[in-house]
mmCIF file with all atom_site columns, all heavy atoms in Angstrom:
data_model
loop_
_atom_site.group_PDB
_atom_site.id
_atom_site.type_symbol
_atom_site.label_atom_id
_atom_site.label_alt_id
_atom_site.label_comp_id
_atom_site.label_asym_id
_atom_site.label_entity_id
_atom_site.label_seq_id
_atom_site.pdbx_PDB_ins_code
_atom_site.Cartn_x
_atom_site.Cartn_y
_atom_site.Cartn_z
_atom_site.occupancy
_atom_site.B_iso_or_equiv
_atom_site.pdbx_formal_charge
_atom_site.auth_seq_id
_atom_site.auth_comp_id
_atom_site.auth_asym_id
_atom_site.auth_atom_id
_atom_site.pdbx_PDB_model_num
ATOM 1   N N   . GLY A 1 5  ? 5.826  -4.594 14.455 1.00 0.00 ? 26 GLY A N   1
ATOM 2   C CA  . GLY A 1 5  ? 5.531  -3.381 13.702 1.00 0.00 ? 26 GLY A CA  1
ATOM 3   C C   . GLY A 1 5  ? 4.070  -2.970 13.771 1.00 0.00 ? 26 GLY A C   1
ATOM 4   O O   . GLY A 1 5  ? 3.709  -1.883 13.359 1.00 0.00 ? 26 GLY A O   1
ATOM 5   N N   . GLY A 1 6  ? 3.210  -3.836 14.277 1.00 0.00 ? 27 GLY A N   1
ATOM 6   C CA  . GLY A 1 6  ? 1.807  -3.496 14.425 1.00 0.00 ? 27 GLY A CA  1
ATOM 7   C C   . GLY A 1 6  ? 0.923  -4.014 13.310 1.00 0.00 ? 27 GLY A C   1
ATOM 8   O O   . GLY A 1 6  ? -0.266 -4.143 13.491 1.00 0.00 ? 27 GLY A O   1
ATOM 9   N N   . GLY A 1 7  ? 1.481  -4.301 12.146 1.00 0.00 ? 28 GLY A N   1
ATOM 10  C CA  . GLY A 1 7  ? 0.682  -4.811 11.043 1.00 0.00 ? 28 GLY A CA  1
ATOM 11  C C   . GLY A 1 7  ? 0.429  -6.299 11.197 1.00 0.00 ? 28 GLY A C   1
ATOM 12  O O   . GLY A 1 7  ? 0.859  -6.916 12.169 1.00 0.00 ? 28 GLY A O   1
ATOM 13  N N   . PRO A 1 8  ? -0.277 -6.882 10.247 1.00 0.00 ? 29 PRO A N   1
ATOM 14  C CA  . PRO A 1 8  ? -0.539 -8.316 10.323 1.00 0.00 ? 29 PRO A CA  1
ATOM 15  C C   . PRO A 1 8  ? 0.766  -9.111 10.281 1.00 0.00 ? 29 PRO A C   1
ATOM 16  O O   . PRO A 1 8  ? 1.715  -8.728 9.600  1.00 0.00 ? 29 PRO A O   1
ATOM 17  C CB  . PRO A 1 8  ? -1.395 -8.612 9.096  1.00 0.00 ? 29 PRO A CB  1
ATOM 18  C CG  . PRO A 1 8  ? -1.568 -7.339 8.362  1.00 0.00 ? 29 PRO A CG  1
ATOM 19  C CD  . PRO A 1 8  ? -0.839 -6.263 9.068  1.00 0.00 ? 29 PRO A CD  1
ATOM 20  N N   . PRO A 1 23 ? -1.026 -2.048 -1.559 1.00 0.00 ? 44 PRO A N   1
ATOM 21  C CA  . PRO A 1 23 ? -2.248 -1.349 -1.993 1.00 0.00 ? 44 PRO A CA  1
ATOM 22  C C   . PRO A 1 23 ? -2.349 -1.234 -3.516 1.00 0.00 ? 44 PRO A C   1
ATOM 23  O O   . PRO A 1 23 ? -3.463 -1.215 -4.062 1.00 0.00 ? 44 PRO A O   1
ATOM 24  C CB  . PRO A 1 23 ? -2.120 0.028  -1.334 1.00 0.00 ? 44 PRO A CB  1
ATOM 25  C CG  . PRO A 1 23 ? -1.316 -0.226 -0.107 1.00 0.00 ? 44 PRO A CG  1
ATOM 26  C CD  . PRO A 1 23 ? -0.316 -1.296 -0.522 1.00 0.00 ? 44 PRO A CD  1
ATOM 27  N N   . TYR A 1 36 ? 0.966  6.934  -1.542 1.00 0.00 ? 57 TYR A N   1
ATOM 28  C CA  . TYR A 1 36 ? 0.247  6.200  -0.505 1.00 0.00 ? 57 TYR A CA  1
ATOM 29  C C   . TYR A 1 36 ? 0.502  6.741  0.897  1.00 0.00 ? 57 TYR A C   1
ATOM 30  O O   . TYR A 1 36 ? -0.169 6.375  1.832  1.00 0.00 ? 57 TYR A O   1
ATOM 31  C CB  . TYR A 1 36 ? 0.595  4.705  -0.557 1.00 0.00 ? 57 TYR A CB  1
ATOM 32  C CG  . TYR A 1 36 ? 0.108  4.078  -1.828 1.00 0.00 ? 57 TYR A CG  1
ATOM 33  C CD1 . TYR A 1 36 ? 0.945  3.972  -2.932 1.00 0.00 ? 57 TYR A CD1 1
ATOM 34  C CD2 . TYR A 1 36 ? -1.200 3.641  -1.954 1.00 0.00 ? 57 TYR A CD2 1
ATOM 35  C CE1 . TYR A 1 36 ? 0.492  3.430  -4.108 1.00 0.00 ? 57 TYR A CE1 1
ATOM 36  C CE2 . TYR A 1 36 ? -1.659 3.094  -3.136 1.00 0.00 ? 57 TYR A CE2 1
ATOM 37  C CZ  . TYR A 1 36 ? -0.810 2.993  -4.208 1.00 0.00 ? 57 TYR A CZ  1
ATOM 38  O OH  . TYR A 1 36 ? -1.271 2.454  -5.375 1.00 0.00 ? 57 TYR A OH  1
ATOM 39  N N   . ARG A 1 38 ? 0.532  9.218  4.126  1.00 0.00 ? 59 ARG A N   1
ATOM 40  C CA  . ARG A 1 38 ? -0.418 10.179 4.677  1.00 0.00 ? 59 ARG A CA  1
ATOM 41  C C   . ARG A 1 38 ? 0.350  11.347 5.250  1.00 0.00 ? 59 ARG A C   1
ATOM 42  O O   . ARG A 1 38 ? 1.408  11.177 5.844  1.00 0.00 ? 59 ARG A O   1
ATOM 43  C CB  . ARG A 1 38 ? -1.258 9.513  5.761  1.00 0.00 ? 59 ARG A CB  1
ATOM 44  C CG  . ARG A 1 38 ? -2.248 8.518  5.180  1.00 0.00 ? 59 ARG A CG  1
ATOM 45  C CD  . ARG A 1 38 ? -3.045 7.838  6.246  1.00 0.00 ? 59 ARG A CD  1
ATOM 46  N NE  . ARG A 1 38 ? -3.591 8.763  7.228  1.00 0.00 ? 59 ARG A NE  1
ATOM 47  C CZ  . ARG A 1 38 ? -4.613 8.463  8.020  1.00 0.00 ? 59 ARG A CZ  1
ATOM 48  N NH1 . ARG A 1 38 ? -5.181 7.296  7.956  1.00 0.00 ? 59 ARG A NH1 1
ATOM 49  N NH2 . ARG A 1 38 ? -5.041 9.337  8.909  1.00 0.00 ? 59 ARG A NH2 1
ATOM 50  N N   . GLY A 1 41 ? 1.113  11.234 9.026  1.00 0.00 ? 62 GLY A N   1
ATOM 51  C CA  . GLY A 1 41 ? 2.066  10.250 9.519  1.00 0.00 ? 62 GLY A CA  1
ATOM 52  C C   . GLY A 1 41 ? 1.451  8.960  10.027 1.00 0.00 ? 62 GLY A C   1
ATOM 53  O O   . GLY A 1 41 ? 2.169  8.058  10.455 1.00 0.00 ? 62 GLY A O   1
ATOM 54  N N   . VAL A 1 42 ? 0.125  8.830  9.987  1.00 0.00 ? 63 VAL A N   1
ATOM 55  C CA  . VAL A 1 42 ? -0.528 7.603  10.439 1.00 0.00 ? 63 VAL A CA  1
ATOM 56  C C   . VAL A 1 42 ? -0.197 6.491  9.438  1.00 0.00 ? 63 VAL A C   1
ATOM 57  O O   . VAL A 1 42 ? -0.275 6.686  8.228  1.00 0.00 ? 63 VAL A O   1
ATOM 58  C CB  . VAL A 1 42 ? -2.055 7.796  10.550 1.00 0.00 ? 63 VAL A CB  1
ATOM 59  C CG1 . VAL A 1 42 ? -2.748 6.491  10.876 1.00 0.00 ? 63 VAL A CG1 1
ATOM 60  C CG2 . VAL A 1 42 ? -2.379 8.852  11.590 1.00 0.00 ? 63 VAL A CG2 1
ATOM 61  N N   . THR A 1 43 ? 0.177  5.329  9.955  1.00 0.00 ? 64 THR A N   1
ATOM 62  C CA  . THR A 1 43 ? 0.539  4.205  9.080  1.00 0.00 ? 64 THR A CA  1
ATOM 63  C C   . THR A 1 43 ? -0.576 3.167  9.053  1.00 0.00 ? 64 THR A C   1
ATOM 64  O O   . THR A 1 43 ? -1.389 3.085  9.984  1.00 0.00 ? 64 THR A O   1
ATOM 65  C CB  . THR A 1 43 ? 1.831  3.523  9.567  1.00 0.00 ? 64 THR A CB  1
ATOM 66  O OG1 . THR A 1 43 ? 1.575  2.944  10.853 1.00 0.00 ? 64 THR A OG1 1
ATOM 67  C CG2 . THR A 1 43 ? 2.990  4.502  9.640  1.00 0.00 ? 64 THR A CG2 1
ATOM 68  N N   . ASP A 1 44 ? -0.589 2.361  7.997  1.00 0.00 ? 65 ASP A N   1
ATOM 69  C CA  . ASP A 1 44 ? -1.542 1.255  7.923  1.00 0.00 ? 65 ASP A CA  1
ATOM 70  C C   . ASP A 1 44 ? -1.329 0.301  9.092  1.00 0.00 ? 65 ASP A C   1
ATOM 71  O O   . ASP A 1 44 ? -2.282 -0.222 9.668  1.00 0.00 ? 65 ASP A O   1
ATOM 72  C CB  . ASP A 1 44 ? -1.389 0.495  6.606  1.00 0.00 ? 65 ASP A CB  1
ATOM 73  C CG  . ASP A 1 44 ? -1.877 1.296  5.412  1.00 0.00 ? 65 ASP A CG  1
ATOM 74  O OD1 . ASP A 1 44 ? -2.643 2.257  5.597  1.00 0.00 ? 65 ASP A OD1 1
ATOM 75  O OD2 . ASP A 1 44 ? -1.486 0.946  4.285  1.00 0.00 ? 65 ASP A OD2 1
ATOM 76  N N   . ALA A 1 45 ? -0.055 0.072  9.453  1.00 0.00 ? 66 ALA A N   1
ATOM 77  C CA  . ALA A 1 45 ? 0.256  -0.849 10.556 1.00 0.00 ? 66 ALA A CA  1
ATOM 78  C C   . ALA A 1 45 ? -0.347 -0.352 11.873 1.00 0.00 ? 66 ALA A C   1
ATOM 79  O O   . ALA A 1 45 ? -0.932 -1.138 12.630 1.00 0.00 ? 66 ALA A O   1
ATOM 80  C CB  . ALA A 1 45 ? 1.763  -1.027 10.690 1.00 0.00 ? 66 ALA A CB  1
ATOM 81  N N   . SER A 1 46 ? -0.236 0.941  12.141 1.00 0.00 ? 67 SER A N   1
ATOM 82  C CA  . SER A 1 46 ? -0.781 1.454  13.403 1.00 0.00 ? 67 SER A CA  1
ATOM 83  C C   . SER A 1 46 ? -2.311 1.421  13.382 1.00 0.00 ? 67 SER A C   1
ATOM 84  O O   . SER A 1 46 ? -2.945 1.119  14.401 1.00 0.00 ? 67 SER A O   1
ATOM 85  C CB  . SER A 1 46 ? -0.268 2.865  13.705 1.00 0.00 ? 67 SER A CB  1
ATOM 86  O OG  . SER A 1 46 ? -0.745 3.794  12.750 1.00 0.00 ? 67 SER A OG  1
ATOM 87  N N   . THR A 1 47 ? -2.913 1.697  12.238 1.00 0.00 ? 68 THR A N   1
ATOM 88  C CA  . THR A 1 47 ? -4.371 1.637  12.115 1.00 0.00 ? 68 THR A CA  1
ATOM 89  C C   . THR A 1 47 ? -4.858 0.205  12.311 1.00 0.00 ? 68 THR A C   1
ATOM 90  O O   . THR A 1 47 ? -5.854 -0.036 12.995 1.00 0.00 ? 68 THR A O   1
ATOM 91  C CB  . THR A 1 47 ? -4.817 2.174  10.736 1.00 0.00 ? 68 THR A CB  1
ATOM 92  O OG1 . THR A 1 47 ? -4.321 3.501  10.585 1.00 0.00 ? 68 THR A OG1 1
ATOM 93  C CG2 . THR A 1 47 ? -6.321 2.172  10.600 1.00 0.00 ? 68 THR A CG2 1
ATOM 94  N N   . TYR A 1 48 ? -4.135 -0.754 11.737 1.00 0.00 ? 69 TYR A N   1
ATOM 95  C CA  . TYR A 1 48 ? -4.474 -2.170 11.897 1.00 0.00 ? 69 TYR A CA  1
ATOM 96  C C   . TYR A 1 48 ? -4.412 -2.564 13.374 1.00 0.00 ? 69 TYR A C   1
ATOM 97  O O   . TYR A 1 48 ? -5.325 -3.213 13.899 1.00 0.00 ? 69 TYR A O   1
ATOM 98  C CB  . TYR A 1 48 ? -3.515 -3.026 11.060 1.00 0.00 ? 69 TYR A CB  1
ATOM 99  C CG  . TYR A 1 48 ? -3.665 -4.507 11.256 1.00 0.00 ? 69 TYR A CG  1
ATOM 100 C CD1 . TYR A 1 48 ? -4.658 -5.221 10.594 1.00 0.00 ? 69 TYR A CD1 1
ATOM 101 C CD2 . TYR A 1 48 ? -2.812 -5.205 12.099 1.00 0.00 ? 69 TYR A CD2 1
ATOM 102 C CE1 . TYR A 1 48 ? -4.802 -6.587 10.776 1.00 0.00 ? 69 TYR A CE1 1
ATOM 103 C CE2 . TYR A 1 48 ? -2.946 -6.573 12.286 1.00 0.00 ? 69 TYR A CE2 1
ATOM 104 C CZ  . TYR A 1 48 ? -3.938 -7.256 11.623 1.00 0.00 ? 69 TYR A CZ  1
ATOM 105 O OH  . TYR A 1 48 ? -4.072 -8.605 11.810 1.00 0.00 ? 69 TYR A OH  1
ATOM 106 N N   . LEU A 1 49 ? -3.346 -2.159 14.043 1.00 0.00 ? 70 LEU A N   1
ATOM 107 C CA  . LEU A 1 49 ? -3.182 -2.491 15.455 1.00 0.00 ? 70 LEU A CA  1
ATOM 108 C C   . LEU A 1 49 ? -4.301 -1.865 16.296 1.00 0.00 ? 70 LEU A C   1
ATOM 109 O O   . LEU A 1 49 ? -4.870 -2.524 17.183 1.00 0.00 ? 70 LEU A O   1
ATOM 110 C CB  . LEU A 1 49 ? -1.811 -2.024 15.960 1.00 0.00 ? 70 LEU A CB  1
ATOM 111 C CG  . LEU A 1 49 ? -1.436 -2.435 17.377 1.00 0.00 ? 70 LEU A CG  1
ATOM 112 C CD1 . LEU A 1 49 ? -1.467 -3.954 17.529 1.00 0.00 ? 70 LEU A CD1 1
ATOM 113 C CD2 . LEU A 1 49 ? -0.048 -1.905 17.721 1.00 0.00 ? 70 LEU A CD2 1
ATOM 114 N N   . GLU A 1 50 ? -4.657 -0.623 16.012 1.00 0.00 ? 71 GLU A N   1
ATOM 115 C CA  . GLU A 1 50 ? -5.761 0.034  16.723 1.00 0.00 ? 71 GLU A CA  1
ATOM 116 C C   . GLU A 1 50 ? -7.074 -0.718 16.514 1.00 0.00 ? 71 GLU A C   1
ATOM 117 O O   . GLU A 1 50 ? -7.852 -0.895 17.457 1.00 0.00 ? 71 GLU A O   1
ATOM 118 C CB  . GLU A 1 50 ? -5.920 1.477  16.248 1.00 0.00 ? 71 GLU A CB  1
ATOM 119 C CG  . GLU A 1 50 ? -4.879 2.428  16.777 1.00 0.00 ? 71 GLU A CG  1
ATOM 120 C CD  . GLU A 1 50 ? -5.067 3.842  16.240 1.00 0.00 ? 71 GLU A CD  1
ATOM 121 O OE1 . GLU A 1 50 ? -6.224 4.218  15.912 1.00 0.00 ? 71 GLU A OE1 1
ATOM 122 O OE2 . GLU A 1 50 ? -4.067 4.562  16.146 1.00 0.00 ? 71 GLU A OE2 1
#
Side-chain angles (χ1 to χ4, degrees):
Y57 294 94
R59 289 178 48 160
V63 174
T64 65
D65 289 341
S67 66
T68 303
Y69 174 82
L70 186 58
E71 284 178 28

